[in-house]
Amino acid sequence: MKKCLILLLMLLMCLSGCGTLSQSDEISIVLLHGWGTMEEDNQAMREIYSEFEKDNPDISLKLISMPSPENVTSKVKEMISVGKLPNLIYIGETGNDTLYSFMVTQGYVIDIMPYIEKDKEFQSMIAPETLMKWKTADGKLYTVTDVLNTGGYWYNKQIFENAKIQKTPENWKEFLECCKKIKQWAEQEKLDTVSMHLDYNTIECMMQSYIGDTDSDEKSISEALKLLNEIKDYADVEKNYTYRDRLRSFNVGHSAIYAGGIASEQKINPKLKMEYAMFPDKNNKDVAMVSAYPGYFIGSSSDTKQKEACIRFLKYMLSEDVQKQIVIKTHQAPSNPKISEPWIHEQVPILAEAMQVCQEADQQILTLYTVLSAKKSAQLEQSLEDLLRGKPVQQLIISIIADIE
């Protein structure tokens, strides 16, 4: 009788296990990312990540959530020091050129191109900007991104009206006058409002806009740097401001202009009267800049099954369904070229209108970040920060940009 009960229990255990995955069959991967705050877009991205397991029940995805790209950078360096990187790393847009170079040259991340070349569906999901920036001379690709970034600025229409600014500046003389009028209006009304906050991201965007799609000759770069010095007289130079600080200032009406990508709209106070505009070049033409920042990397310590699981995750993030979720939930510009503009306009009109401003610009060029090597980008970033601190680095900046072929 006892033997019969044991056999019966064993049979029931076998039956209960049918149709489910055992722990040994499940593939476990870890994603380190910078969407860790309680902001709406951060929560949305974490939800999208979590949904991956529903579509891929044989894969367990663990998230290591950091509050910003800067924190991701610090965490990666810490993990490298102890010899333990996650299977997937999402870096994002802020200050990661040196880290990218280090991970690639030291073999901490894998070449994704072999997986792309044998998968036509995967190929069709990759943004041309990603290949232009990140494909190496020998045909390797170590990162793909799920969103694109643009260079332009949001402006507070109410502040412009209060300062008697009738239209957006069409040239740099008008832009300088615009900043001057905002400063004079604020002083007259005894307000602490400034035209804009300058940091290295802002002045890089303005400098390249001035140069435009012409050759980066020394004369044009020198003129751009001189212009930036003039604008500094009517703007705020806060050396320790992050993009979050600049956004916070714009949201409460302390600054009239926020230089940044169209995706910033999701973080801007919806009660503000605002529109998106392009900076002009030296010939008074509107300039739209597009770039693909480093996105997802696959750690080289992953085993074969984990690498394949990571590729499935990348395809998931670039799929049309998920790309549309990113548009709706985070208001970022999708990297998958299959996502149509009319569809975006139906879902998020203000995002589509901003994208249209970019598309209708007189010129569409790649950002300096996109055309410079990772090493040169990091060097330029440091030089622009030094420029804000008043250091004499103009000639170094000229030499970095003038080297672009």
Side-chain angles (χ1 to χ4, degrees), residues 156 158 251 265 268-274:
N156 186 316
Q158 188 61 60
N251 275 332
E265 175 271 328
I268 294 175
N269 183 349
K271 294 181 181 179
L272 289 181
K273 289 173 61 179
M274 62 177 184

Side-chain angles (χ1 to χ4, degrees), residues 215-273:
D215 293 335
S216 301
D217 59 280
E218 291 193 16
K219 183 174 181 292
S220 296
I221 303 167
S222 297
E223 290 173 352
L225 291 171
K226 182 181 177 183
L227 173 68
L228 290 172
N229 272 327
E230 293 183 65
I231 291 174
K232 281 170 66 176
D233 293 337
Y234 303 107
D236 175 66
V237 180
E238 175 49 66
K239 303 174 186 65
N240 297 316
Y241 256 31
T242 66
Y243 80 94
R244 292 181 189 276
D245 295 319
R246 290 192 292 114
L247 265 175
R248 192 177 300 115
S249 176
F250 186 75
N251 275 332
V252 297
H254 286 171
S255 60
I257 296 168
Y258 173 77
I262 56 179
S264 307
E265 175 271 328
Q266 204 270 347
K267 297 177 184 291
I268 294 175
N269 183 349
K271 294 181 181 179
L272 289 181
K273 289 173 61 179

Side-chain angles (χ1 to χ4, degrees), residues 30 32 83 96 109 117 120 146 149 152 168 180 185 196 208 214 217 273 299 308 313 320 357 363 371 391 394:
V30 177
L32 171 64
N96 303 292
V109 292
E117 288 177 338
K120 288 188 177 181
D146 48 14
N149 196 42
T168 55
K180 185 177 179 180
W185 165 77
M196 63 195 302
Q208 177 156 19
T214 59
D217 59 280
K273 289 173 61 179
E308 291 172 351
F313 175 80
E320 290 186 53
V357 169
Q363 303 174 47
V371 296
K391 295 183 179 180
Q394 287 88 343

Side-chain angles (χ1 to χ4, degrees), residues 356-382:
Q356 187 173 359
V357 169
C358 295
Q359 289 154 6
E360 292 178 352
D362 298 315
Q363 303 174 47
Q364 292 190 1
I365 63 175
L366 296 172
T367 61
L368 286 172
Y369 183 91
T370 302
V371 296
L372 287 171
S373 67
K375 182 179 179 180
K376 289 286 188 181
S377 292
Q379 193 178 7
L380 178 62
E381 177 182 325
Q382 184 59 56

